[in-house]
Amino acid sequence: MPPVAGWLDDLDAVARQSLAFFANRPVVLNLARLAPDRNETNAIIDALKIRNIRVIAVEGVDPAWLDPSLAPLGSGKESGKVVDFPGARAPAQPRAAASSRGSSIIDRPVRSGQTIFHPEGDVIVLGSVSSGAEVIAGGSVHVYGTLRGRALAGATGNPGALIFCRKFQAELVSIDGSYMTAEQTPPDLIGKPVQIRLKNDAIVTDILD
Amino acid sequence: MGTVIVVTSGKGGVGKTTSSAAIGAALAQTGDSVALVDFDVGLRNLDLVLGAERRVVYDFVNVIQGQAKLSQALIRDKRIETLHLLAASQTRDKDALTEEGVEDVVGSLRETFDWVICDSPAGIERGAILAMRHADMAIVVTNPEVSSVRDSDRIIGLLDARTRRTEQGEAMEKHVLITRFDPTRAARGDMLAIDDVLEILSLPLIGIVPESQSVLKASNIGMPVVLADPSSDSARAYADAARRIKGESVDLAVPTVRRSLFGGLFRRAA
């Protein structure tokens, strides 16, 4: 067996640090340099499947070993394969698209150590988000109490996502990977109702009144 | 059927054991039967605070492992006859407590006593989870400072996820007990305000126990503060908390700095 165990460990480490890293992201696997046999190929594909990583094509192995749905995308040969990318990063996605896929309503405080992870749409928290708690949404994050922990909006690749809170005291806010720590937060924002958005890959904050 | 209360906090040194002993004693003083259970296997302290350390023959682990009957291991307090202690083992570690063993012991205690008070170890690991597992009510002990409040918040999240009651979809009564409150430092703004603590934890308050010498003294002589110094502010705060646990409505005031008119005059004159 090729040395994939260590590679899978690294992959798990990435997935742990960034929970939404592989969510909704189609992956093409190129095994040419590994040169696995048929069983090894299937073992690798299964290992990715149980991690909910969506493999849409495999290259660099004999296509006859593969399930037809995993046929190579091209590699120079003719390929009529059309791949449907639902939820994948699309350029200039309209802002409203983020909330159209169903939102998740949390009707209790999000306590320290808890993570709310909702890659499909908005997260609406009716209570507060404590220091040391984390809310990760594919869409926007709405907090009707005090945001003291972390809020990560557009985590599956949506620069149009927004973060709102009634009282801002966040440790970290992030939209589509761009982030602002508590240290970088303008002091006049603290304790105010705030909206956070992304403009030219930079976090922009507005006080709502 | 009695009520099982877990006294927990996440952080160590905030006053879980002192509070367990004081609330247990205060409840027992009202005539209710109380069993105090020390879950801090390996670091037992509750026996010391109750002054029962020289009377421990069998402990919690002995009962779980079938080496003693529960009735043999329970130690009756010499001062309040409705107060009982099930001591932790000092020579074992927390792995000696099994899930089934804890369930059996807490289940039998619940049948015999009006109140079963589980003194949780610090941390969020196995010992703390076992202590909260079968509770009907939780008392979250917090000091008015940020690290304690954050750890308490973490524990409240676990109470919502890992107790038997919440797993069965039933509500769990949770209260905050603020201990080591120092009115002088609070007046100077060196401490988190009570309102801020409650806003962060969003749970009802069951009592505010001021930091005091009488609590420390009481622990050192092996007496719950409600017995050692019943007229002290701390003892009264615990006694009031016990009445609130029993469902009575008792007014709750934030302790303030007491300064007599004459004291002020004399100081100024000098």
Side-chain angles (χ1 to χ4, degrees):
Chain A
M1 187 71 185
V4 288
W7 179 76
L8 285 171
D9 287 343
D10 290 347
L11 199 69
D12 288 339
V14 169
R16 262 197 305 277
Q17 279 168 18
S18 174
L19 286 174
F21 194 81
F22 293 108
N24 290 327
R25 290 208 170 142
V27 170
V28 177
L29 207 55
N30 189 333
L31 300 176
R33 286 182 59 194
L34 208 55
D37 65 23
R38 183 174 191 156
N39 287 337
E40 288 163 354
T41 303
N42 285 324
I44 294 168
I45 294 169
D46 289 344
L48 294 178
K49 258 190 203 155
I50 58 167
R51 288 169 173 77
N52 285 322
I53 295 172
R54 206 157 63 92
V55 180
I56 56 155
V58 183
E59 309 203 1
V61 294
D62 186 346
W65 298 348
L66 302 169
D67 185 279
S69 69
L70 293 178
L73 283 175
S75 313
K77 290 172 224 152
E78 58 86 32
S79 166
K81 186 161 173 165
V82 178
V83 181
D84 177 28
F85 280 38
R89 183 192 293 261
Q93 206 168 30
R95 184 167 281 193
S99 57
S100 63
R101 277 190 298 267
S103 43
S104 165
I105 297 178
I106 313 295
D107 61 356
R108 58 195 150 81
V110 185
R111 307 238 177 225
S112 186
Q114 294 177 333
T115 298
I116 303 293
F117 179 52
H118 183 60
E120 273 80 42
D122 290 9
V123 174
I124 300 163
V125 182
L126 303 183
S128 294
V129 177
S130 291
S131 161
E134 195 169 46
V135 177
I136 306 169
S140 299
V141 175
H142 310 250
V143 180
Y144 284 89
T146 307
L147 173 58
R148 296 192 180 84
R150 298 168 162 231
L152 290 80
T156 47
N158 177 5
L162 300 166
I163 298 170
F164 302 92
C165 64
R166 275 252 313 264
K167 215 170 161 189
F168 186 89
Q169 237 170 282
E171 289 167 345
L172 181 137
V173 287
S174 159
I175 297 174
D176 191 24
S178 302
Y179 64 88
M180 177 178 83
T181 62
E183 214 175 61
Q184 300 161 333
T185 303
D188 57 330
L189 241 57
I190 306 299
K192 296 277 172 25
V194 169
Q195 166 190 288
I196 295 139
R197 60 196 161 92
L198 202 58
K199 192 178 170 189
N200 304 325
D201 279 345
I203 296 278
V204 178
T205 56
D206 312 295
I207 296 178
L208 304 167
D209 268 324
Chain B
M1 283 292 262
T3 304
V4 180
I5 303 177
V6 61
V7 178
T8 186
S9 70
K11 195 172 161 63
V14 296
K16 281 182 298 296
T17 298
T18 307
S19 298
S20 299
I23 289 173
L27 283 169
Q29 277 178 326
T30 69
D32 290 358
S33 60
V34 176
L36 284 165
V37 186
D38 192 347
F39 272 79
D40 207 348
V41 175
L43 289 171
R44 78 175 201 214
N45 276 171
L46 192 52
D47 54 329
L48 288 172
V49 174
L50 287 169
E53 74 277 9
R54 295 191 302 176
R55 299 170 58 209
V56 178
V57 182
Y58 295 112
D59 57 49
F60 198 176
V61 173
N62 294 137
V63 177
I64 283 182
Q65 296 183 340
Q67 293 145 346
K69 281 191 220 139
L70 185 53
S71 52
Q72 292 175 297
L74 282 168
I75 303 165
R76 180 196 289 255
D77 190 88
K78 284 189 169 162
R79 299 148 300 202
I80 312 172
E81 61 172 22
T82 50
L83 182 63
H84 295 75
L85 167 70
L86 180 57
S89 169
Q90 180 72 350
T91 53
R92 311 296 294 269
D93 62 34
K94 290 175 182 63
D95 292 334
L97 297 181
T98 61
E99 185 105 12
E100 303 75 34
V102 169
E103 182 172 355
D104 285 350
V105 171
V106 174
S108 331
L109 290 172
R110 192 202 294 269
E111 280 168 27
T112 319
F113 292 90
D114 296 321
W115 303 96
V116 180
I117 299 182
C118 303
D119 180 22
S120 172
I124 53 171
E125 286 81 26
R126 201 179 132 78
I129 300 296
L130 282 173
M132 69 171 66
R133 186 83 187 126
H134 302 282
D136 305 306
M137 185 195 282
I139 294 179
V140 180
V141 182
T142 299
N143 295 164
E145 45 111 359
V146 280
S147 58
S148 173
V149 171
R150 183 195 274 186
D151 291 357
S152 294
D153 195 50
R154 179 90 169 92
I155 274 289
I156 298 165
L158 292 173
L159 286 167
D160 285 336
R162 304 289 291 276
T163 56
R164 183 75 151 253
R165 248 183 128 82
T166 49
E167 274 178 13
Q168 290 170 346
E170 291 170 55
M172 169 141 191
E173 212 181 307
K174 300 184 285 289
H175 300 277
V176 176
L177 177 72
I178 296 179
T179 54
R180 312 193 75 164
F181 180 77
D182 184 337
T184 320
R185 286 182 57 210
R188 282 203 307 260
D190 293 349
M191 242 177 190
L192 275 182
I194 302 286
D195 287 346
D196 291 341
V197 176
L198 297 180
E199 213 252 310
I200 292 172
L201 298 181
S202 52
L203 286 185
L205 182 64
I206 197 117
I208 303 170
V209 182
E211 171 90 302
S212 90
Q213 288 301 314
S214 49
V215 174
L216 292 174
K217 263 189 233 154
S219 289
N220 285 334
I221 59 168
M223 267 175 125
V225 69
V226 291
L227 283 177
D229 191 358
S231 60
S232 64
D233 289 345
S234 319
R236 268 188 273 176
Y238 279 123
D240 284 352
R243 288 169 60 195
R244 291 185 195 104
I245 290 169
K246 290 185 75 173
E248 286 179 48
S249 118
V250 184
D251 286 344
L252 205 166
V254 177
T256 49
V257 190
R258 235 185 267 153
R259 180 182 289 164
S260 76
L261 178 63
F262 293 112
L265 285 174
F266 286 135
R267 205 169 299 141
R268 216 167 296 153

